[in-house]
Amino acid sequence: MFFLLLFAGRSANAQQKYWLDPTALVKLNVTLPEPDRCSEWLGACTYALTEDQRSAVTAAGGSLTPMLTFAPASLVHKDPILGFALEQIQANYFLEMGLTGQGVKIGIIDGGFLKANKDPTLRHLFEKGLVKSYKDYITPEMEPYGGAIGLDDNHGTEVWQLIGGFDKEKNILYGLATEAEYYLARTDHGAYEKRIEEDLFILALEEMEQQGIRLVNVSLGYNLGYTDASENYKPNQMDGQTTAIARAVEIAATQKGMLIVVAAGNEARDAWQTLSTPGDAPHALTVGASKFDIWDKMDYSSIGPDYTDFVKPDISVYSTLGTSYSTPIVTGLVACIWQMDPTLTNLEIIDLLKEAGNFYPYPNNYLGYGVPTCPNIIKVMDGQTMVRPQKVKTSKESYKLTRDFDTKYLVAFHKKDERNVMARVVYRPVGNKVKIKRIEGARQTSLLMGKEVIEIFWE
């Protein structure tokens, strides 16, 4: 029996990492992925192994005995009370891994950070010197962290809280990135809406890229309501190509390697309905708002356009107060993923979050790929088998489902094609049965039961 292990540690992608002797592997006739690195001194190489690969080694006669485990530094706070959105995505899973966004630079482009320097939930960031930059592009002469609540200048502060906020006295964690570095930019004025704000947004984004910032939170959106009504956009212009800010975000994502997390908007109950720009940028990570127990769309959360060849929003997370507050939850989540594996590209992380969503691989323009959770993110990174939506094909005009339901209602997203919703219909089970009727023109229907999804193909 060959003793292969020198020591083991937690790898960046959550696989177990081992020092193994390649010559021993040859004798055991075990084939593994290419090693991460090799040591001439030790005569061994490091391999990140999945559970199946570890089993293959031991089945061939190799011995794997962990001797030392490495993990990121643990949080200074213990077993915090989680905000509802963090509870939904099972953030405790990342907390147990000691993930805090440490070493990740986060830019926040918003409308104001009123009294953020005095906010108890952000105090730890100032005390640790993690606030690296503050720039007011609107009124540079105003003192930092100034403004007025009446002009919504506290919006950026509230967003920031949900990225990295922690109330030490109450032991409440609001955001995951409690040890990231922060760069703040005020580009939006609450007293008016003018295209100049979009110009300032682009300027701030470009300057952040020059500062080496890869992750930016944008809880802003533009559509209607401009002081000069002639500047208002039309819904069919939310195509990722028309507006200057969408094009700037697209350049940041595809050419500069930046991950721009953008709020979808809150206009679904208005005549506008469509998401706002720059959430229409194809390679932005656009975030909608979901409900908590049943992962349905919040009524206000804006709907993605049905005339593009890409899906928006990309994912959704719980928020009752607007997509401005679901977006920063995701930004903190991304910071932790990048802390785990800094080699991931921005687009790889977006794909990872999509794959971790409960609707994957059947997205829709209401919720995108659904709600990603921390355990599912790790499973995707590890290449583990995931529980995916059940696929059902039927040539009938209805689908009957019999089971013990643990939710009071089910939601059917009837789609005219593979992703665009024609109608959202609520069904209430009668006992242990429910009958889903096909609506005219529907090709597919995503049936949501709490978190679980059944994808119905009408033939």
Side-chain angles (χ1 to χ4, degrees):
M1 179 180 291
F2 292 93
F3 189 76
L4 300 174
L5 177 71
L6 294 181
F7 62 85
R10 176 70 68 178
S11 74
N13 64 359
Q15 295 170 318
Q16 197 73 15
K17 183 174 287 186
Y18 299 89
W19 281 101
L20 303 177
D21 180 354
T23 59
L25 292 175
V26 172
K27 292 179 181 179
L28 290 174
N29 196 27
V30 175
T31 301
L32 294 179
E34 289 295 317
D36 292 340
R37 58 186 60 85
C38 295
S39 168
E40 183 179 347
W41 293 357
L42 300 179
C45 300
T46 56
Y47 296 82
L49 305 183
T50 65
E51 183 177 351
D52 290 342
Q53 291 164 342
R54 294 195 295 270
S55 298
V57 172
T58 55
S63 177
L64 297 175
T65 307
M67 296 171 62
L68 182 62
T69 299
F70 296 99
S74 60
L75 293 171
V76 293
H77 41 284
K78 181 175 175 58
D79 299 326
I81 300 167
L82 301 181
F84 286 118
L86 294 183
E87 183 179 341
Q88 180 195 48
I89 65 171
Q90 299 179 56
N92 60 299
Y93 196 85
F94 274 13
L95 297 180
E96 290 169 1
M97 296 173 66
L99 297 172
T100 60
Q102 187 176 38
V104 178
K105 295 181 178 181
I106 300 177
I108 307 176
I109 302 177
D110 216 285
F113 301 89
L114 181 63
K115 297 182 180 179
N117 57 331
K118 299 179 181 178
D119 191 288
T121 67
L122 300 173
R123 182 179 298 132
H124 61 286
L125 300 175
F126 287 93
E127 290 177 347
K128 293 181 179 180
L130 294 173
V131 185
K132 301 299 184 179
S133 173
Y134 173 96
K135 186 169 183 178
D136 188 338
Y137 291 81
I138 295 287
T139 51
E141 69 279 3
M142 186 169 67
E143 65 175 335
Y145 311 108
I149 292 180
L151 298 180
D152 208 20
D153 282 325
N154 59 328
H155 187 268
T157 304
E158 294 172 346
V159 166
W160 192 6
Q161 290 170 340
L162 295 175
I163 300 175
F166 172 59
D167 191 321
K168 185 175 181 180
E169 292 184 3
K170 298 179 181 179
N171 198 34
I172 299 176
L173 186 69
Y174 295 101
L176 280 170
T178 54
E179 293 186 326
E181 298 177 2
Y182 288 93
Y183 299 75
L184 315 175
R186 178 175 180 253
T187 65
D188 193 274
H189 200 298
Y192 58 75
E193 205 76 276
K194 296 182 180 181
R195 288 287 177 88
I196 183 64
E197 294 174 317
E198 298 182 46
D199 296 341
L200 297 176
F201 170 89
I202 295 171
L203 177 60
L205 191 60
E206 291 181 357
E207 291 186 351
M208 285 184 174
E209 190 273 334
Q210 293 168 4
Q211 293 173 294
I213 298 167
R214 299 172 68 194
L215 176 58
V216 179
N217 188 96
V218 181
S219 289
L220 299 172
Y222 299 91
N223 44 56
L224 300 173
Y226 282 89
T227 303
D228 180 354
S230 67
E231 295 183 344
N232 287 346
Y233 292 112
K234 297 178 181 179
N236 62 9
Q237 292 178 305
M238 303 294 101
D239 58 3
Q241 302 176 21
T242 299
T243 73
I245 53 175
R247 296 202 304 271
V249 166
E250 191 66 3
I251 290 170
T254 60
Q255 299 181 27
K256 305 299 182 181
M258 300 175 74
L259 204 162
I260 316 300
V261 190
V262 187
N266 310 317
E267 282 76 36
R269 292 182 294 208
D270 303 333
W272 176 272
Q273 289 196 325
T274 310
L275 55 72
S276 306
T277 193
D280 59 324
H283 293 93
L285 177 56
T286 306
V287 183
S290 76
K291 297 177 183 177
F292 185 74
D293 291 320
I294 298 177
W295 291 358
D296 187 15
K297 185 179 82 71
M298 279 291 186
D299 293 342
Y300 64 78
S301 188
S302 292
I303 299 167
D306 62 1
Y307 50 80
T308 61
D309 60 359
F310 53 87
V311 180
K312 291 293 173 180
D314 295 283
I315 58 174
S316 297
V317 171
Y318 173 74
S319 172
T320 59
L321 299 175
T323 58
S324 282
Y325 303 109
S326 52
T327 301
I329 295 294
V330 173
T331 298
L333 182 64
V334 170
C336 290
I337 294 172
W338 242 329
Q339 179 188 2
M340 272 196 292
D341 190 349
T343 68
L344 290 172
T345 69
N346 58 332
L347 301 185
E348 286 173 337
I349 291 180
I350 291 175
D351 287 342
L352 169 63
L353 290 170
K354 290 177 180 178
E355 289 188 46
N358 63 312
F359 277 89
Y360 185 87
Y362 306 112
N364 60 67
N365 61 334
Y366 275 44
L367 288 156
Y369 287 85
V371 178
T373 63
C374 294
N376 279 352
I377 289 169
I378 295 301
K379 287 179 180 178
V380 174
M381 295 176 80
D382 276 353
Q384 297 180 30
T385 301
M386 298 276 292
V387 175
R388 296 301 188 190
Q390 178 185 351
K391 183 178 179 180
V392 173
K393 293 183 178 181
T394 179
S395 58
K396 299 179 180 180
E397 293 301 302
S398 63
Y399 171 67
K400 295 180 181 179
L401 181 63
T402 302
R403 65 159 63 185
D404 292 327
F405 296 99
D406 55 5
T407 59
K408 295 181 179 179
Y409 69 93
L410 292 74
V411 184
F413 297 94
H414 295 290
K415 299 181 288 187
K416 62 183 179 181
D417 50 36
E418 62 183 9
R419 61 176 177 268
N420 292 303
V421 177
M422 300 171 60
R424 171 189 168 278
V425 180
V426 173
Y427 294 88
R428 299 188 182 278
V430 178
N432 64 344
K433 297 180 180 179
V434 68
K435 182 178 181 180
I436 308 301
K437 295 182 179 180
R438 180 184 189 181
I439 67 172
E440 185 177 355
R443 286 176 51 189
Q444 291 176 217
T445 296
S446 295
L447 181 62
L448 177 66
M449 300 164 290
K451 307 171 187 177
E452 182 185 352
V453 177
I454 294 178
E455 189 72 12
I456 304 170
F457 290 79
W458 306 102
E459 298 182 333

